[in-house]
Amino acid sequence: MSSAPVHVVVVGAGIVGASVAYHAARAGAAVTLVDAGRPGAGVTADSFAWIGASGVITGPAARIRATATEEYRRVEAELPGLPVTWSGSLSWRAEGSAPEVGPGQEIVDAATVVTLEPNLRQPPEWAVWAPGDGAVDAVGVTGRLVAGARDHGARVCLNTAVTAVRRDAAGRVAGVETAVGPLAGTTVVLAAGVATAALGASLGVRVPVEPSPCPLLRFRAPAGLVRTVVNTEDFDLRQVAEDRLIAAADSPEQALSAVRSTFRGAEGVELLSTRLGVRPMPVDGEPIVGPVADVPGLYLAVMHSAVTLAPAVGRLVARELADGIAEPALSGCRLDRF
């Protein structure tokens, strides 16, 4: 255990910051969570929020991604009522041979596809079925994590913009400055999405994260039209309420046309809204998580896909912060790889 008391200020109450705050408070750290808005109101709200461990084989964060669904099931047990739907996912393409499958995936034929998605007009000859996959209400999960952090003693400061990271005379992090005054802490975790780069730059730290647009479409649709998370070349699609679908797709018009032509009974599906979120995308696509050597007390937690990784990363970061343990699973995610 570290000798000095750990007081963590987490900047950003999106799903990653909320998970870090929850897990760190649960691990015994003193935690202050601060955000310029409401929990999950930034890019978290614009996420398609498909979660799955399936098919993950390579990359520095492969071990973490492979645990995504079991980590969600753990948090679901800790925070009953977490808004998770374990529907499984179906992926296919109009042309081409069946791909190789990864862990948690299997190739299924057209007859099986029809049992999983009975409203398909023309079921594909084959699809990749990942029965353990699911999806979440990302804002709802974030809210539950924030409430869980509060239950474990965290202080939560919402509608409070962070203007700078404070440092003491020795150059060590001492908390943050906000529009309503300073918040003290021995460690500051930057989990502020695309704003993380600017906050890092103010300290002379380059965080190689770029804004990446993520369109999210909402449709009015008949109840039960889509049963699983469906992934095709036209869209990622899932049913989020009795009369609502959401889709991740580049073109609203093409996506609407594809939904109507793909599913029986979808002729009356209507586009309700289009939102364009801005994901924080590390330049190599892999999470940036860990302490910053040049600024003692500064810690980064920025990644894609944040919704998928948040429970696992929150738990691992909390161990590093509260217990002073370097987590091997995060060793390939450090800033110093750049």
Side-chain angles (χ1 to χ4, degrees), residues 249-275:
D250 291 332
S251 165
E253 295 77 16
Q254 289 178 12
L256 176 59
S257 175
V259 170
R260 288 174 173 171
S261 63
T262 300
F263 293 92
R264 286 196 309 272
E267 298 83 2
V269 170
E270 301 171 39
L271 179 68
L272 295 176
S273 67
T274 302
R275 286 175 59 115

Side-chain angles (χ1 to χ4, degrees), residues 4-5 29 44-45 85 94 102 119 130 143 150 176 192 206-207 209 215 219 228 230 235 256 262 266 277 281-282 319:
T44 296
T85 303
N119 294 315
R150 274 199 178 105
V176 297
R206 178 178 171 269
V207 185
V209 171
F219 300 100
T228 68
V230 173
F235 47 59
L256 176 59
T262 300
M281 186 67 72
R319 280 178 57 82

Side-chain angles (χ1 to χ4, degrees), residues 145-164:
L145 288 165
V146 172
R150 274 199 178 105
D151 290 344
H152 288 284
R155 178 186 180 190
V156 180
C157 304
L158 302 175
N159 302 311
T160 304
V162 170
T163 55

Side-chain angles (χ1 to χ4, degrees), residues 71-207:
E71 292 279 359
Y72 259 99
R73 291 188 181 276
R74 172 186 59 79
V75 174
E76 192 179 23
E78 293 170 5
L79 300 174
L82 201 72
V84 185
T85 303
W86 298 109
S87 61
S89 68
L90 267 177
S91 303
W92 69 86
R93 297 294 178 265
E95 296 178 2
S97 57
E100 292 185 20
V101 295
Q105 297 179 325
E106 58 186 278
I107 300 290
V108 292
D109 61 15
T112 303
V113 170
V114 169
T115 68
L116 296 166
E117 288 292 352
N119 294 315
L120 286 175
R121 291 181 187 275
Q122 290 184 301
E125 290 183 24
W126 58 264
V128 177
W129 169 233
D133 281 8
V136 302
D137 169 356
V139 175
V141 168
T142 302
R144 290 289 286 119
L145 288 165
V146 172
R150 274 199 178 105
D151 290 344
H152 288 284
R155 178 186 180 190
V156 180
C157 304
L158 302 175
N159 302 311
T160 304
V162 170
T163 55
V165 177
R166 301 172 64 209
R167 301 172 81 173
D168 62 20
R172 183 174 177 84
V173 161
V176 297
E177 296 288 350
T178 78
V180 295
L183 296 171
T186 55
T187 300
V188 169
V189 178
L190 299 183
V194 291
T196 300
L199 287 167
S202 70
L203 298 167
V205 176
R206 178 178 171 269
V207 185

